[in-house]
């Protein structure tokens, strides 16, 4: 519809699209538009081929034909649904119910659209949310409410009324808020700083701004379609299943079409990636590795480990490739532990073993205004009484061993980059077991009742069991492609630990399932599964049952090692759950009763749907299945399809085998269902001999899994190629099973110059190159570059030398943020395969499209102060309080300088009189300026919820100072004068490392073939005094705003554009400073009236006045010392 609007992209068309996309109630005219458009879609979607030939086929495509068929059913309903009867009632009752739940409470998640203005927009945000659910239109705005007709009745929007909810009820998410998807920071600012108007008018302004952005998006999208610059691939089904199928598809396109998994829960439809039929391309792009994967907040629903493990193999190995994950549900009370809690382990160790790391633990710094979310969380807790709190955590994952420009351009052909890691098998087994324990903590006997008590008032996303034994196997599978170890020894040790563990309630009962999935995924095969079930004479003290023709596949000479149980559960057994699919966790239990002995094995990975099956006597008794599309609303039985090892079904008498469906053991299930189901929580149980309820088959219905294991083994072999022990770094784990050190052993060929020099007693030295690279030097002339797969503390490395055996081992401790202060990793710039440059950790920004903050007023002081106050971590705040101006922490010093620059540009710094646009970065020790900053404006940084300064930088050298002496004098004599920002040597070096990244971040020009970076093989070019860190490719490319300042014009030829932004701590690395609403008010955000300290902004009855200039006041001598760095340049002026 958006693309169709291009010829007539007027306001009316975009307004109708807005209504259909966001409003629960719409006018009659929009209903007609929807029905007319769905008629077009239905004509085009008769088959996959007709769709590809239609006007939509070039930019909207489908991963499979099943997705097209599914969407077509929705379109049919949109076109034919009667919105005046039952559907209308369902929508209005649903709205009314949610509106009553909201009441007068303040729901603040819509404030994420306000960016740094979150603190001032709480009232209007809560009002907008309440009115949306009350009226069915965004913010309850007056124009759209009036368009609905008398009393705002309107018509139920079919796009909200029709859903996939199995019981057909109103299924719009309770958190739905149209404004949440827009960047409205500037509008919130205008409301905060402008003339006060009532809430309804404020809400209308926000809706109007959102509509304007929406209209612009429609126009841009339509233009992209017209220019053939966009193509979407749609898929309707289970995300993890799609990833599994795509992984196998990367091995061979034939595998993509072979149905090995079901498309989604509650359906027996096979997942086939057959959407490429009829495509022009010989190779379907969908099966190629991805440059960017964004999972949204799927991790909340399927588990973070499942999400990461499913997507890592699909990502291209490039410095620009990134996996973006997001969670909205709080994992713990402390954001610092949120990621490690979600992963069940130390983040650095997890990253090393999967070959992908969160940028935050590498860089220790982010430009995302994470303090906004911290403030929202704290404020929400004070105004809402929800058990499950929200905390939005965005994590960007990249390869930790992609090399910077200097390494890539300087590496010689004989130098090998470390691609894999090697781990001691016992250490890896212990680490895996610790993760296993965390993944199945819900089964931990010691934790069951304490967790149940805590959940009554405070719930975490990890309280819901997201993992089965297949999940830990999927993790091991990915690790096997990245890690070298003795896998037989490691697996044996790991399985021994699992078998001996008694802390998990059903740990021993799940051993068969664990071993089965290890075999299915091609990771490791238990001998009893490898040699065939009929070759096992005895297990669990039970004898092998003789062959029998009545047992179907189990009675064969050589039955498969793994079969599938098909269990039909009578519908009446589900009555305890009501007409809903929100059932508690369940499992299949296979029991064997043999005399006084009873054995039970539990299986948690199964597929279920509704229908009935019968035995096909002509086809060896295989089950024939008839699916009931009505699902929970129908009357058919529940059918469970569960893979199990065959040998467990062949031991002991057939009459003693029982199969049951039972609820998982938990305090919640016990309290709710013990009286109805008994102590064992069994929903249904029957004998294996009951052929009306149980069937055994090799392949699940509609799937072809005969080569599943072979295809998994082929995938493992392919993605494990190209790595050997020679290029592996050995990971040393500490007593906590965390990666502690890395070792690289370099063996020299006998007879080589290096081997001869080593034997002759040549000196050996290790010199740091960057955060993950060292130079190994032999004597005066020989050297070898060693690249670690992770940042290390290279300055404290150790060596082990074997002169006779001709090898040298270098050992270095892993360097994890926030240990790093020099920003080596954060400011690192990489090269891609085509030689272009890529930022490693800093996101790009198009300054020209970010909304300008045209002029600041006194009312801007509050939100800017809160934003800048949130740049400090708790540790940095303590350091600042303790040390004042004597800080020895380069990152803290940089943040203080940035605060001075931002506050001074806005005209809020107590040491300046009005806004300052020109700044001098000046060395304290000799009072010499080495860099000039020309700032033309402040803009919103929409994606990061922050602000950014649009600036030009001029690094000064002796030559440049001589050339520009008169221009510099003119600058210094102008009013206001440039403000001096005083730096020590450490911070000066940090700025020179940072400037190339800030220039690259907003670059809209190309580097030249003779770029100084390429010639020298280094970024920055230099961090030394009187040296330029930047290349000249971006010079003399100024905007009209730069030329508006007369005193700046002479510097035009020498300046480079940069995007200067506040620097924030990483929430899963450092504890953030407490902000308003959390019970503690930081000095930077105090809003009391009266005399204030010019350093900490605190109110005080009596203030100390600066004895030199008399213009600034402080509450204490400590504040005076802390402020001297910024005040020094202005004192006495």
């Amino acid at each position: 519809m958006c693309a169709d609007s291009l010829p007539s992209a007027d306001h009316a068309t975009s307004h109708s699209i807005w209504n259909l996309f966001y409003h629960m109630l719409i006018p009659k005219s929009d209903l007609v538009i929807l029905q007319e458009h769905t008629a077009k879609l239905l004509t085009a979607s008769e088959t996959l081929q007709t769709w590809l030939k239609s006007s939509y086929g070039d930019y909207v495509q489908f991963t499979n034909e099943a997705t097209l068929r599914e969407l077509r059913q929705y379109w049919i309903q949109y076109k034919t649904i009667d919105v005046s009867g039952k559907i209308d009632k369902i929508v209005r009752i649903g709205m009314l119910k949610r509106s009553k739940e909201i009441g007068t409470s303040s729901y603040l998640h819509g404030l994420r659209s306000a960016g740094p203005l979150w603190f001032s927009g709480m009232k209007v945000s809560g009002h907008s949310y309440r009115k949306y659910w009350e009226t069915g239109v965004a913010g309850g705005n007056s124009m759209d409410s009036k368009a609905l007709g008398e009393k705002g009745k309107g018509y139920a929007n079919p796009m909200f009324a029709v859903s996939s909810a199995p019981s057909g009820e109103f299924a719009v998410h309770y958190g739905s808020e149209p404004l949440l998807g827009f960047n409205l920071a500037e509008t919130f600012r205008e409301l905060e700083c402008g003339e006060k108007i009532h809430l309804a008018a404020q809400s209308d302004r926000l809706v109007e701004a959102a509509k304007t952005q929406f209209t612009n998006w429609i126009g841009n999208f339509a233009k992209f379609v017209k220019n053939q610059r966009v193509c979407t691939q749609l898929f309707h089904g289970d995300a993890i299943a799609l990833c599994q199928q795509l992984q196998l598809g990367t091995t061979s396109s034939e595998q993509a079409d072979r149905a090995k998994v079901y498309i989604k829960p509650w359906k027996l439809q096979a997942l086939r990636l057959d959407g490429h039929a009829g495509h022009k391309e010989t190779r379907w792009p969908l099966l190629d590795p991805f440059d960017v994967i964004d999972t949204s907040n799927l991790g909340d629903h399927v588990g973070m480990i499942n999400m990461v493990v499913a997507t890592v193999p699909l990502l291209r190995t490039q410095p620009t490739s990134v996996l973006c994950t997001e969670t909205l549900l709080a994992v713990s009370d402390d954001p610092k532990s949120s990621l490690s809690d979600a992963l069940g382990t130390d983040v650095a160790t997890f990253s090393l073993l999967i070959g992908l790391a969160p940028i935050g633990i590498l860089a220790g710094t982010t430009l995302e205004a994470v303090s906004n979310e911290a403030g929202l969380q704290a404020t929400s807790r004070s105004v809402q009484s929800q058990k499950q709190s929200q905390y939005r955590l965005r994590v960007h994952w990249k390869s930790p061993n992609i090399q910077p420009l200097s390494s890539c351009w300087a590496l010689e052909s004989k130098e090998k980059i470390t691609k894999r890691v090697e781990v001691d098998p016992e250490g890896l087994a212990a680490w895996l077991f610790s993760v296993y324990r965390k993944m199945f903590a819900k089964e931990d006997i010691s934790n069951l009742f304490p967790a149940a008590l805590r959940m009554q008032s405070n719930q975490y996303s990890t309280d819901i069991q997201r993992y089965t034994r297949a999940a830990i196997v999927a993790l091991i599978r990915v690790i096997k492609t990245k890690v070298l170890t003795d896998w037989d020894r490691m697996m044996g040790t790991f399985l021994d630990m699992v078998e001996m563990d008694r802390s998990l309630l059903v740990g021993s009962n799940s051993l068969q399932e664990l071993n089965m999935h290890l075999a299915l995924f091609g990771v490791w095969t238990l001998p009893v599964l490898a040699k065939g079930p009929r070759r096992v004479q005895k297990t669990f003290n039970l004898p092998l049952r003789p062959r029998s023709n009545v047992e179907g596949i189990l009675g064969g000479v050589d039955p498969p090692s793994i079969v599938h149980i098909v269990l039909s559960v009578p519908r009446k057994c589900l009555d305890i759950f009501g007409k809903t699919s929100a059932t508690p966790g369940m499992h299949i239990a296979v029991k064997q009763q043999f005399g006084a002995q009873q054995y039970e094995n539990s299986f948690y990975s199964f597929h279920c749907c509704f229908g009935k099956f019968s035995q096909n006597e002509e086809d060896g008794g295989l089950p024939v299945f008839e699916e009931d599309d009505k699902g929970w609303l129908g009357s058919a039985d529940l059918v469970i399809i569960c893979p199990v090892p065959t040998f467990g079904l062949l031991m002991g008498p057939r009459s003693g085998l029982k199969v049951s469906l039972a609820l998982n053991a938990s305090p919640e299930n016990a309290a709710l269902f013990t009286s109805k189901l008994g102590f064992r929580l069994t929903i249904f149980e029957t004998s294996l001999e009951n052929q009306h309820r149980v069937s055994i088959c090799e392949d699940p219905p509609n799937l072809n899994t005969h080569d599943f294991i072979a295809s998994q083994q082929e995938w493992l072999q392919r993605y494990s190629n190209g790595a050997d022990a020679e290029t592996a770094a050995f990971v040393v784990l500490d007593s906590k099973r965390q990666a502690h050190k890395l070792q690289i052993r370099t063996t020299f060929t006998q007879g080589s110059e290096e081997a001869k020099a080593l034997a002759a007693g040549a000196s050996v030295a290790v010199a740091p190159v960057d955060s993950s690279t060292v130079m190994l030097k032999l004597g005066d002339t020989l050297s070898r570059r060693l690249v670690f797969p992770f940042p290390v503390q290279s300055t404290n490395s150790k060596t082990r030398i074997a002169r006779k055996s001709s090898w040298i081992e270098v050992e270095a401790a892993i360097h994890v943020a926030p240990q790093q202060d020099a920003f080596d990793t954060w400011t690192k710039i990489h090269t891609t395969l085509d030689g272009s440059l890529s930022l490693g950790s800093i996101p790009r920004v198009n300054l020209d499209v970010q909304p300008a903050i045209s002029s600041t007023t006194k009312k801007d002081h509050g939100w800017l102060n809160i934003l800048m106050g949130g740049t400090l971590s708790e540790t940095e705040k303590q350091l600042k309080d303790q040390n004042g101006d004597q800080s020895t922490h380069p990152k803290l010093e940089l943040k203080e300088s940035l605060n001075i620059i931002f506050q001074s540009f806005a005209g809020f710094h107590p040491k300046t009189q009005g806004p300052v646009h020109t700044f001098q970065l000046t060395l304290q020790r000799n009072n010499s300026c080495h860099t000039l900053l020309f700032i033309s404006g402040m803009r919103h940084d929409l994606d990061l919820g922050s602000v950014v300064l649009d600036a030009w930088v001029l690094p000064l050298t002796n030559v440049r100072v001589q050339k520009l002496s008169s221009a510099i004098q003119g600058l210094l004599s102008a009013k206001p004068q440039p403000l001096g920002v005083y730096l020590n040597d450490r911070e000066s070096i940090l700025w020179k490392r940072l400037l190339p990244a800030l220039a690259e971040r907003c670059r809209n020009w190309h580097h030249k073939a003779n770029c100084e970076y390429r010639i020298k093989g280094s970024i920055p070019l230099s961090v030394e005094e009187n040296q330029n860190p930047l290349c000249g490719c971006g010079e003399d490319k100024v905007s009209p705003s730069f030329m508006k300042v007369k005193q700046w014009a002479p510097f035009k030829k020498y300046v480079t554009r940069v995007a200067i932004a506040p620097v924030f701590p990483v929430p899963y690395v450092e504890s953030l400073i407490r902000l308003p609403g959390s019970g503690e008010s930081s000095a930077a955000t105090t809003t009391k009236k009266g005399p204030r300290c010019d350093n900490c902004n605190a109110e005080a009855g009596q203030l100390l006045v600066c004895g030199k200039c008399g213009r600034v006041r402080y509450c204490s001598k400590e504040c005076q010392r802390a402020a001297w760095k910024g005040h020094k340049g202005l004192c006495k002026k």
Side-chain angles (χ1 to χ4, degrees):
M1 186 178 290
C2 294
D4 285 351
S5 70
L6 181 61
S8 59
D10 53 24
H11 177 76
T13 303
S14 63
H15 187 75
S16 294
I17 299 174
W18 165 278
N19 290 345
L20 291 169
F21 197 77
Y22 288 112
H23 290 176
M24 289 180 270
L25 300 177
I26 57 176
K28 176 71 172 180
S29 57
D30 292 335
L31 183 62
V32 172
I33 290 175
L34 176 63
Q35 291 172 340
E36 289 175 349
H37 187 70
T38 50
K40 295 181 184 178
L41 296 176
L42 289 172
T43 300
S45 62
E46 291 182 359
T47 66
L48 191 60
Q49 285 68 35
T50 60
W51 179 266
L52 290 172
K53 293 177 182 179
S54 73
S55 59
Y56 308 108
D58 287 336
Y59 63 93
V60 177
Q61 297 174 2
F62 299 92
T63 56
N64 56 3
E65 192 166 3
T67 296
L68 176 61
R69 290 199 302 269
E70 185 83 24
L71 288 181
R72 183 176 167 83
Q73 293 305 310
Y74 284 97
W75 296 337
I76 290 173
Q77 293 182 75
Y78 293 162
K79 185 177 185 300
T80 60
I81 193 171
D82 179 9
V83 294
S84 61
K86 180 181 177 182
I87 292 298
D88 182 79
K89 185 177 181 180
I90 289 175
V91 171
R92 294 181 191 277
I93 291 176
M95 289 171 54
L96 180 62
K97 180 182 177 183
R98 180 57 187 158
S99 186
K100 287 182 177 179
E101 290 172 351
I102 296 169
T104 58
S105 300
S106 296
Y107 285 82
L108 306 179
H109 68 286
L111 276 175
R112 292 191 178 101
S113 64
L117 276 295
W118 66 271
F119 191 70
S120 59
M122 288 187 283
K123 287 186 178 179
V124 65
S125 178
H127 171 86
S128 175
Y129 178 70
R130 288 193 297 273
K131 286 297 182 180
Y132 175 60
W133 282 93
E134 181 182 319
T135 66
V137 301
N141 74 89
S142 55
M143 185 181 74
D144 290 331
S145 296
K146 185 177 180 180
L148 295 179
E150 185 180 356
K151 296 182 180 180
K153 184 178 180 180
Y155 293 83
N157 186 347
M159 296 182 71
F160 284 77
V162 177
S163 76
S164 60
S167 53
E169 74 274 14
F170 182 71
V172 179
H173 192 273
Y174 66 87
S176 296
E177 159 63 288
L179 302 185
L180 184 59
F182 296 90
N183 295 303
L184 303 174
E186 182 58 17
T187 307
F188 274 98
R189 175 180 169 269
E190 291 169 356
L191 294 174
E192 169 69 9
C193 301
E195 188 176 330
K196 292 300 180 185
I197 55 178
H198 57 81
L199 282 179
Q202 291 183 46
S203 182
D204 285 0
R205 287 273 300 276
L206 291 171
V207 173
E208 182 183 355
K211 286 182 176 180
T212 299
Q213 291 183 22
F214 186 75
T215 300
N216 292 336
W217 184 89
I218 288 176
N220 288 326
F221 178 79
K223 290 175 184 177
F224 270 66
V225 169
K226 182 179 179 181
N227 297 326
Q228 297 183 333
R229 295 181 58 191
V230 61
C231 179
T232 60
Q233 289 278 350
L234 304 184
F235 172 74
H236 186 277
D238 182 75
I240 301 297
L242 174 63
C243 291
Q244 292 173 346
Q245 197 76 357
L246 285 174
Q247 288 178 26
L248 297 180
T250 59
T251 305
S252 67
S253 57
E254 290 80 10
Q255 294 287 0
D257 289 339
R258 294 177 185 173
K260 301 184 185 302
V261 293
Y262 291 112
I263 196 168
K264 59 182 177 181
W266 303 105
K267 290 291 182 181
L268 272 192
Q269 194 170 21
L271 172 53
R272 288 184 173 88
L273 300 180
D274 53 11
H276 64 291
H279 276 246
K280 301 174 184 177
E281 300 90 346
T282 55
R283 168 73 179 177
W284 198 14
L286 185 67
L287 301 181
D288 291 332
F290 291 83
D291 295 299
V292 178
I293 299 176
D294 191 332
T295 69
S296 186
N297 69 319
L298 279 172
D300 284 332
H301 306 286
V302 302
M304 180 64 81
I305 295 177
N306 281 337
M307 198 70 258
V308 172
V309 166
T311 51
V312 164
L314 301 176
L315 196 66
R316 192 185 306 276
T317 306
Q318 274 274 37
T320 52
S321 300
V322 60
L323 168 65
C324 307
T325 61
E326 182 176 334
T327 52
L328 288 176
L329 303 180
V331 180
S332 67
D333 288 331
D334 183 8
K336 182 180 177 181
S337 65
S338 56
L339 188 55
S340 58
D341 286 344
L343 297 174
T345 184
D346 167 60
V347 180
T349 309
F350 185 88
S351 301
L352 267 169
L353 297 180
I354 68 165
L356 212 63
I359 291 174
I361 70 164
L362 303 175
T365 299
T366 180
L367 296 185
E368 182 180 359
V370 294
S371 57
N372 297 347
E373 188 65 28
L376 275 175
Q377 183 196 39
T379 306
S380 297
R381 284 177 174 174
S382 66
V383 299
Q384 295 174 208
S385 57
Q386 292 179 313
K387 293 181 180 180
Q388 174 69 69
S389 62
Q390 283 197 359
Y391 184 83
R392 186 189 186 210
L393 181 67
R394 293 201 299 180
V395 182
H396 295 80
W397 303 70
K398 285 193 172 186
S399 174
N401 65 349
I402 298 294
Q403 292 309 298
L405 175 144
S406 56
S407 296
C408 291
W409 285 349
L411 279 176
E412 299 177 14
S413 58
K414 66 179 180 179
E415 296 172 326
K416 298 182 178 180
I417 297 178
T418 304
K419 295 181 179 179
R420 292 181 86 185
V421 295
E422 183 178 1
V423 187
D424 171 74
E426 282 75 20
L428 180 57
W431 178 84
L432 277 172
F433 180 66
S434 68
V435 176
Y436 168 85
R437 289 278 308 276
K438 289 289 183 67
M439 291 176 72
F440 303 106
K442 288 281 288 183
E443 301 174 12
D444 191 329
I445 302 171
S446 64
N447 190 47
L448 288 178
F449 289 98
L453 289 173
R454 192 245 317 141
M455 288 170 61
Q456 294 177 9
S457 58
N458 191 14
Q459 296 178 2
Y460 305 143
S461 64
T462 49
D463 288 330
I464 299 176
Q465 182 61 47
R466 310 287 187 190
Y467 304 114
T468 67
R469 266 57 184 182
I472 185 71
V473 173
L475 173 61
I476 297 172
R477 171 179 175 262
V478 169
I479 291 174
K480 193 170 184 179
T481 67
K482 309 289 183 180
V483 174
L484 292 172
T485 193
D486 184 336
W487 277 94
D488 285 341
R489 198 165 128 204
M490 193 284 294
M491 288 304 307
T493 304
F494 169 67
L495 291 174
D496 285 346
M497 290 177 172
V498 172
E499 188 172 355
M500 297 298 293
D501 178 58
R502 292 295 177 266
S503 65
L504 301 188
L505 193 62
V506 292
S508 58
N509 297 76
S510 299
L511 277 172
Q512 280 198 23
E513 184 180 36
L514 177 61
N515 282 298
M516 176 190 69
H517 285 299
L518 285 169
L520 279 173
F521 280 97
V523 175
W524 192 81
T525 306
L526 195 71
V528 70
L529 292 173
K531 60 185 180 181
R534 286 252 166 234
R535 294 179 176 83
V536 180
Q537 296 302 313
K538 196 173 188 179
T539 188
F540 304 120
N541 296 318
L542 296 175
L544 180 69
R545 190 166 63 249
R547 288 181 57 210
S548 170
N549 292 332
V550 299
E551 292 204 64
I553 191 172
L554 294 180
V557 177
D558 191 17
S561 296
I562 297 169
V563 294
H564 290 79
I565 292 177
V566 181
L567 174 67
S568 179
V569 179
R571 185 69 179 226
K572 63 180 181 181
C573 295
L574 306 178
D575 290 344
I576 58 171
F577 303 124
K579 293 287 185 179
T580 176
S581 59
T583 56
M586 299 181 288
H587 66 275
I588 291 293
V590 178
K591 306 173 186 177
Q592 173 59 268
Q593 185 78 40
F594 185 57
Q597 302 178 74
Q598 179 172 311
Y599 301 92
E600 180 175 330
N601 289 284
S602 303
F603 300 88
Y604 295 79
S605 298
F606 56 84
H607 192 81
C608 50
C609 56
F610 288 97
K612 67 177 182 178
F613 80 89
S614 57
Q615 305 281 353
N616 187 345
E617 301 298 337
E618 296 179 0
D619 196 12
L622 292 178
V624 177
F625 190 82
E626 295 180 26
E627 188 172 358
D628 181 2
D629 291 332
K630 293 182 179 180
W632 282 93
L633 296 179
S635 58
D637 292 340
L638 176 68
V639 177
I640 308 282
I641 302 157
C642 180
V644 298
T646 307
F647 71 84
L649 303 177
L650 296 178
M651 299 297 158
R654 180 180 173 86
S655 59
L657 278 167
K658 294 185 181 298
V659 181
S660 64
L661 176 67
L663 293 180
N664 298 342
S666 70
E668 308 94 89
N669 286 345
L672 291 171
F673 298 106
T674 299
S675 60
K676 301 175 182 179
L677 300 177
F679 176 73
R680 301 184 68 85
L681 298 176
T682 302
I683 299 171
F684 174 70
E685 182 174 270
T686 188
S687 169
L688 192 67
E689 294 184 319
N690 184 354
Q691 296 186 7
H692 297 290
R693 291 292 175 184
V694 183
S695 179
I696 307 296
C697 56
E698 181 175 0
D699 284 329
N702 300 336
L703 297 186
N704 180 6
T705 60
H706 74 278
D707 64 342
F708 186 86
I709 296 177
S711 61
Q712 292 288 347
Q713 291 172 336
E714 181 185 357
W715 182 89
L716 275 167
Q717 184 177 7
R718 174 172 178 173
Y719 286 94
S720 300
N721 285 342
D724 51 54
E726 188 181 352
T727 60
F730 188 81
V731 181
V732 180
L733 302 178
D734 61 16
S735 58
K736 297 180 180 179
R737 298 175 294 279
Q738 296 181 1
H740 177 50
K741 297 177 181 178
L742 291 174
Q743 299 170 347
I744 294 182
R745 178 174 293 188
T746 301
T747 302
F748 302 107
T749 306
Q750 290 294 332
S752 65
E753 293 183 17
E754 292 89 347
K756 292 177 182 178
L758 203 59
S763 62
V764 176
V766 177
V769 176
D770 56 45
S771 59
S772 58
T773 309
V774 298
M775 186 67 74
L776 181 62
K777 297 182 178 180
L778 283 75
D780 298 328
T781 59
L782 300 174
S783 64
R784 179 71 63 90
R785 190 182 298 258
L786 302 180
V787 182
F788 288 89
F790 206 84
V792 294
Q793 300 178 32
S794 53
T795 54
N796 298 320
S797 60
K798 297 179 180 180
T799 58
R800 297 181 182 88
I801 305 169
R803 297 187 181 274
K804 291 183 179 180
S805 302
S806 300
W807 58 259
I808 301 174
E809 184 176 88
V810 179
E811 178 183 272
I814 287 174
H815 211 175
V816 177
Q819 298 166 336
Q820 307 173 83
D821 289 329
F823 285 11
D824 287 359
T825 303
W826 188 57
T827 60
K828 190 178 288 186
I829 297 177
H830 309 290
T831 53
T832 59
L833 293 177
D834 61 2
S836 58
L837 299 185
S838 165
L839 285 167
S841 304
I842 300 178
R844 290 189 178 275
V845 62
N846 185 343
L847 289 174
D848 296 327
V849 301
Q850 302 301 312
I853 301 174
S854 54
S855 61
T856 52
T857 68
K858 290 182 179 180
K859 293 182 179 180
D860 285 299
H861 193 194
W863 67 263
L864 186 60
N865 226 18
I866 291 175
L867 180 70
M868 299 308 296
T871 61
L872 300 185
S873 68
E874 193 65 44
T875 301
E876 289 168 338
K877 179 67 165 59
Q878 293 173 4
L879 284 172
K880 181 179 179 181
D881 292 342
Q882 294 169 5
N883 302 322
D885 194 38
Q886 306 302 314
S887 172
T888 58
H889 196 282
K891 196 189 320 184
L892 175 58
E893 293 162 354
L894 174 75
K895 291 182 178 182
E896 290 180 346
S897 296
L898 288 170
N899 182 50
I900 292 171
I901 292 171
F902 270 88
Q903 298 280 14
S904 300
F905 175 81
F908 301 142
H909 202 279
K911 305 160 191 65
T912 63
Q913 295 180 343
V916 177
H917 289 198
T918 313
F919 296 83
Q920 304 176 78
L921 301 185
T922 304
L923 278 173
Q924 284 179 335
R925 59 176 169 81
N926 57 14
N927 203 34
S928 65
C929 170
H930 66 61
T931 303
L932 289 174
L933 296 176
F934 306 90
I935 303 176
S936 64
M938 185 188 300
R939 297 175 180 270
H940 290 283
D941 197 338
L942 296 179
D943 184 56
L944 302 181
S946 185
V947 292
V948 60
L949 295 176
D950 191 350
W952 280 263
V953 60
L954 172 58
L956 294 176
T957 64
N958 288 338
V959 174
R960 285 186 170 181
V961 170
Q962 291 175 3
K963 286 183 178 180
L964 298 169
S965 58
S966 60
I968 293 174
Q969 288 300 319
L971 195 66
L972 294 175
S973 61
K975 297 294 182 181
Q977 290 182 333
L979 178 64
V981 180
Y982 288 84
L983 320 174
N984 58 33
D985 286 349
R986 294 184 306 274
E987 188 185 352
S988 175
I989 291 173
L990 202 157
W991 269 99
K992 292 201 171 191
R993 285 181 174 147
L994 182 60
L995 286 176
L998 298 185
E1000 198 67 23
R1001 185 180 181 223
C1002 61
R1003 174 171 62 85
N1004 56 6
W1005 40 265
H1006 296 286
H1007 284 279
K1008 302 172 184 176
N1010 61 344
C1011 173
E1012 294 93 329
Y1013 291 156
R1014 180 180 294 274
I1015 293 172
K1016 189 171 182 179
S1018 175
I1019 301 179
L1021 294 176
S1022 174
V1023 296
E1024 300 298 323
E1025 187 178 354
N1026 196 37
Q1027 296 293 318
N1028 186 357
L1030 297 171
C1031 72
C1033 303
E1035 294 177 354
D1036 197 15
K1037 294 176 174 61
V1038 299
S1039 68
S1041 62
F1042 182 91
M1043 298 304 294
K1044 286 181 180 179
V1045 183
K1046 183 176 66 174
Q1047 292 83 2
W1048 291 0
F1051 302 98
K1052 170 180 176 292
K1053 292 175 57 179
Y1054 304 97
V1055 297
T1056 301
R1057 196 179 193 183
V1058 292
I1060 301 175
V1063 177
F1064 296 86
V1066 178
Y1068 53 86
V1069 173
E1070 297 183 88
S1071 296
L1072 306 185
I1073 192 172
R1074 288 176 151 260
L1075 289 174
S1078 61
E1080 179 180 322
S1081 180
S1082 71
T1085 57
T1086 304
T1087 57
K1088 295 180 181 178
K1089 297 181 178 180
R1092 296 179 183 280
C1093 171
D1094 283 322
N1095 178 61
C1096 71
N1097 204 37
E1099 183 181 13
Q1102 187 173 2
L1103 297 173
L1104 304 175
V1105 180
C1106 176
K1108 291 187 178 181
C1109 68
R1111 293 193 309 213
V1112 293
R1113 299 173 297 174
Y1114 304 105
C1115 64
S1116 65
K1117 291 183 178 180
E1118 289 74 18
C1119 273
Q1120 184 179 19
R1121 284 195 294 268
W1124 177 243
K1125 175 182 177 179
H1127 180 54
K1128 180 179 178 181
L1130 287 175
C1131 195
K1132 284 192 171 182
K1133 283 189 177 180

